[in-house]
Amino acid sequence: MVQIGAMLPRLNQRFIKHYEQHGVNIALSYLKGSMCFLSTSSGGFTEHVELPVRRQRSERKPLVTSINHLKRNARLERKMRQDVREIMLKPPENGLLVKRLIPVAHEVYDARKELYDCVSLVLKSVLVHVCRVCEEVYVGKFPHQIRTCDVAGSLPTKEHCWVPGGTEHVLPVIDSFHLYDRLGRAVSHEERLQVDRIPAIVELCVQAGMDISEYPTKRRVYPVYNIAGKLIDFERKFPRDYSSGKDIEPHGFWLRKKDRIHCSTPSFSANEDLQDIALRGMNAWEKMRLGAIQLMRTYTVQTCGYCPEVQVGPKGHRARICQAYKHQMRAGQHAWQEATIDDLVPPVYVWHVRGLHTGGELLVHDMRRYYGKLPAVVELFAQAGACVGEGYGELMREDVAVPGLDEERLVV
């Protein structure tokens, strides 16, 4: 009896281990079976992607480079400045252009012009609505009924107040100070009204090698040297053939600026229909973003961590014009950090409308968790007949079946 009593705990432990292993096997088999329902036709698995949400005012943009890496680089630079010796600089840090990126700058500039032409033509057939309270954008014939207007001055029901929108709502323009010398000193607060402001992506193309007569920039022949942390430039501040503004017309400047930068003569043939124009616009959008990403890997772009301000160049400006979260603690200065492509070309995310060939569907508030989103310009071209790329498949949520209003309560 003593031996049997001693064996009972061992039998119980073996039974418990067997039962736990059996439960793990059942859970794994159930997980594999459920993943089969998520498998797509390409043999992969559809991952759940969170839809982009609007950032809170007190929330800072995520850093591209970790704070520990930034501190480590700052310590190394401080140690290198203590040694009085020359620090070798490579283009574009030494003021010279990167020759392999000059064609990319021209392609990005041309793609941007073509994109604006396509958007202006497609907007004549596809309607765009914008909320006059929270500035939410919707692309479609009938505005959606999703109650997400939750800002100061909105209705108690959080319903949107829709008004007709335009190109500036689909493609918002982020401006930047134009720098004659990208390695010169930063724009001060007193100079904020004396320096031209142009679209940031145009300024990026100019600094990468695109020449625009209205916005001259310094093209160095000899490199800049860095000695003990100080830049030594052996070229003249202004070249001998610099006009000093004698050929600039003083009247109608802002009108000519808007016409030359934001608009251009559309180069479309008469036999192109709306779908062909939308397809060209979609290709121009992708080409502009991919080219800008390639330029930003070499040419530095700074953005404020709390507001949409962008400055193309190795450092941000010193104009005290930030009115975002806790700007009083910074005396109006911007909290500069490394920018991303979404800071330079912000994609305005809108709700995606399915069933475009059958007249579309009316988006209601109770079904909002089944809907997807797309950038406004992509949704605009998609409703005009262009094919959406595979990179937006997860955001569109085309693989999610939207139940009926009477079936929604039965969804687990």
Side-chain angles (χ1 to χ4, degrees):
M1 294 295 293
V2 177
Q3 295 180 355
I4 296 177
M7 292 177 60
L8 284 177
R10 299 179 183 178
L11 294 175
N12 291 336
Q13 292 178 1
R14 292 179 182 178
F15 177 76
I16 292 173
K17 291 182 180 180
H18 177 73
Y19 183 80
E20 292 178 351
Q21 185 64 29
H22 183 65
V24 171
N25 295 335
I26 293 176
L28 290 176
S29 61
Y30 178 79
L31 181 60
K32 292 179 180 179
S34 61
M35 291 179 66
C36 293
F37 290 102
L38 296 176
S39 62
T40 59
S41 58
S42 60
F45 298 99
T46 303
E47 298 180 359
H48 176 71
V49 177
E50 293 292 339
L51 295 179
V53 295
R54 195 174 282 184
R55 183 172 50 87
Q56 299 293 333
R57 293 185 58 184
S58 59
E59 183 182 0
R60 181 164 184 165
K61 300 176 185 177
L63 295 175
V64 179
T65 308
S66 63
I67 189 66
N68 293 331
H69 188 68
L70 294 175
K71 291 181 179 179
R72 192 180 304 111
N73 291 342
R75 288 193 295 266
L76 291 177
E77 292 179 1
R78 192 184 309 113
K79 185 179 296 184
M80 293 175 63
R81 284 196 297 266
Q82 295 176 357
D83 300 334
V84 182
R85 60 183 182 86
E86 179 184 354
I87 302 175
M88 300 299 298
L89 300 178
K90 297 181 180 179
E93 296 177 355
N94 59 1
L96 301 181
L97 295 176
V98 181
K99 295 184 178 180
R100 61 179 177 83
L101 294 180
I102 296 178
V104 179
H106 285 77
E107 292 177 1
V108 172
Y109 185 79
D110 295 339
R112 180 182 179 274
K113 293 174 57 179
E114 185 178 5
L115 176 62
Y116 271 88
D117 294 340
C118 295
V119 169
S120 61
L121 292 178
V122 174
L123 282 177
K124 299 178 181 178
S125 302
V126 181
L127 298 180
V128 174
H129 305 273
V130 60
C131 179
R132 63 182 179 184
V133 181
C134 67
E135 298 183 354
E136 181 172 340
V137 181
Y138 179 75
V139 180
K141 186 176 181 180
F142 303 103
H144 66 74
Q145 299 179 355
I146 303 176
R147 298 186 296 271
T148 54
C149 187
D150 191 11
V151 296
S154 60
L155 298 176
T157 58
K158 297 183 181 181
E159 295 181 355
H160 295 280
C161 300
W162 299 107
V163 294
T167 307
E168 65 277 7
H169 301 107
V170 178
L171 288 174
V173 180
I174 303 298
D175 291 334
S176 172
F177 284 109
H178 170 61
L179 304 179
Y180 172 76
D181 185 5
R182 65 182 306 270
L183 296 184
R185 62 180 180 85
V187 178
S188 63
H189 182 72
E190 292 73 17
E191 298 173 339
R192 67 189 187 281
L193 300 179
Q194 304 174 4
V195 181
D196 295 331
R197 288 180 65 88
I198 62 176
I201 190 169
V202 177
E203 175 66 14
L204 179 63
C205 296
V206 170
Q207 293 189 14
M210 180 73 189
D211 293 327
I212 301 178
S213 58
E214 289 83 2
Y215 302 102
T217 184
K218 186 174 183 178
R219 304 296 186 195
R220 285 183 169 82
V221 181
Y222 302 100
V224 172
Y225 298 92
N226 189 341
I227 300 178
K230 295 184 179 181
L231 297 180
I232 307 299
D233 190 4
F234 293 99
E235 291 189 2
R236 296 171 57 93
K237 185 175 182 181
F238 296 99
R240 295 182 178 179
D241 55 350
Y242 184 68
S243 62
S244 184
K246 64 180 182 181
D247 298 329
I248 297 178
E249 300 178 11
H251 303 289
F253 168 73
W254 294 107
L255 181 61
R256 293 195 310 274
K257 174 185 176 182
K258 182 178 180 180
D259 292 341
R260 294 179 183 179
I261 292 185
H262 296 285
C263 305
S264 60
T265 304
S267 57
F268 301 98
S269 59
N271 55 357
E272 282 186 312
D273 57 357
L274 183 64
Q275 185 176 3
D276 296 336
I277 297 175
L279 184 59
R280 288 184 56 178
M282 189 76 77
N283 295 333
W285 166 259
E286 297 296 337
K287 184 185 296 183
M288 182 186 68
R289 284 181 62 91
L290 293 178
I293 291 174
Q294 188 175 358
L295 294 177
M296 292 176 65
R297 292 172 182 170
T298 305
Y299 292 89
T300 310
V301 181
Q302 304 290 332
T303 184
C304 180
Y306 296 99
C307 74
E309 183 71 14
V310 169
Q311 179 59 52
V312 182
K315 52 182 176 292
H317 61 75
R318 297 197 299 269
R320 300 186 296 271
I321 55 178
C322 184
Q323 299 180 0
Y325 179 70
K326 290 187 177 179
H327 64 90
Q328 300 89 347
M329 300 179 61
R330 305 187 301 271
Q333 293 278 359
H334 293 284
W336 295 111
Q337 64 184 45
E338 186 179 353
T340 62
I341 183 61
D342 291 341
D343 299 320
L344 194 68
V345 186
V348 182
Y349 286 98
V350 299
W351 294 101
H352 172 56
V353 182
R354 303 186 186 183
L356 300 175
H357 301 288
T358 59
E361 60 177 350
L362 183 62
L363 305 185
V364 295
H365 181 75
D366 296 336
M367 300 295 169
R368 64 189 182 277
R369 64 171 178 166
Y370 303 103
Y371 301 143
K373 286 188 176 182
L374 279 178
V377 63
V378 177
E379 178 68 18
L380 179 70
F381 293 142
Q383 295 193 19
C387 297
V388 182
E390 297 180 356
Y392 300 103
E394 297 175 349
L395 289 175
M396 294 171 60
R397 291 188 176 177
E398 288 288 344
D399 56 339
V400 178
V402 180
L405 290 176
D406 55 343
E407 301 173 347
E408 200 273 337
R409 61 184 179 86
L410 302 176
V411 177
V412 179

